[in-house]
Structure formats: structure tokens, C-alpha cells
Amino acid sequence: MAAIYHEAANAMNNCTSSIIKVCETTHASSQTMDEAGSSAKAVGSVIREISLARSEQALASQNIAKTVEVLAQMSEENVAARASSNAENLQGMSRELNQAGRFFKA
């Protein structure tokens, strides 16, 4: 009978050791899951920052495109104004040459 009690006590000790190991493993797994959750939150935060930066860049690109369009329009207007001014100057010079030519014809 003593042998049966001794064997039962050994089995209980082995079972207790196994339960302790399971508890330790469960605790370690819980810590790992907490770390994974923190990492996932950090990745989510970085993704939101990237998305915001992308939106800001898109807006800046649109503003740059509008500014380039305005500059191109101003440049075209400037070229047109110079052409008109040059035409007026040429017409004025033509009149002066015609008047000078009349002086020599007379």
C-alpha cells in the first residue's frame, strides 16, 4: 500500500510540475501577444502618417500644377504684349520712314 501511495505522490508531483510549466508557457505567450499588439499599433500609426503625408503631397502637387499653369498663362500674355508692342513700334517706324522718304521726294 505504501508503494501505491508513493507512486500516487510521484504522479501528483509530475502533474504539478507539468501544470507549472503550462502556466509559465501561457504567461510567456501572453507577453508575446502583448508585444505583437503593441507592434501592430505602431505599424498602424506609421501607415496613418504615410497616408497623411501622401495626401499632403498630392495637395502640394496640385498647387504646383496650378501655379505652373498661371505662370504659363502670364508668359503667353507677356509674349502677346511684346508682340503687340513690337508691331506698334514697327508701325511707328514705318510712318517715320515714309515721312522721311517724302522729304527726299520733295
Side-chain angles (χ1 to χ4, degrees):
M1 193 66 127
I4 293 174
Y5 289 130
H6 183 59
E7 190 177 318
N10 283 339
M12 285 185 200
N13 285 335
N14 288 338
C15 188
T16 302
S17 295
S18 293
I19 290 172
I20 289 171
K21 287 179 185 178
V22 167
C23 288
E24 290 171 350
T25 302
T26 302
H27 181 70
S29 296
S30 176
Q31 287 179 332
T32 301
M33 292 299 284
D34 287 344
E35 291 171 6
S38 296
S39 295
K41 287 179 185 177
V43 168
S45 178
V46 169
I47 289 171
R48 282 189 294 279
E49 289 177 20
I50 290 170
S51 178
L52 178 62
R54 185 182 160 274
S55 296
E56 289 173 353
Q57 285 179 341
L59 181 61
S61 293
Q62 289 173 353
N63 288 337
I64 289 170
K66 287 178 185 176
T67 301
V68 168
E69 287 177 20
V70 168
L71 288 173
Q73 180 65 32
M74 290 172 63
S75 178
E76 289 175 13
E77 290 171 0
N78 193 18
V79 167
R82 282 187 180 171
S84 175
S85 177
N86 286 342
E88 289 173 8
N89 286 339
L90 287 174
Q91 286 175 350
M93 290 176 164
S94 175
R95 281 192 295 273
E96 289 176 15
L97 282 174
N98 281 335
Q99 287 175 357
R102 286 188 202 134
F103 175 76
F104 288 108
K105 286 183 184 177

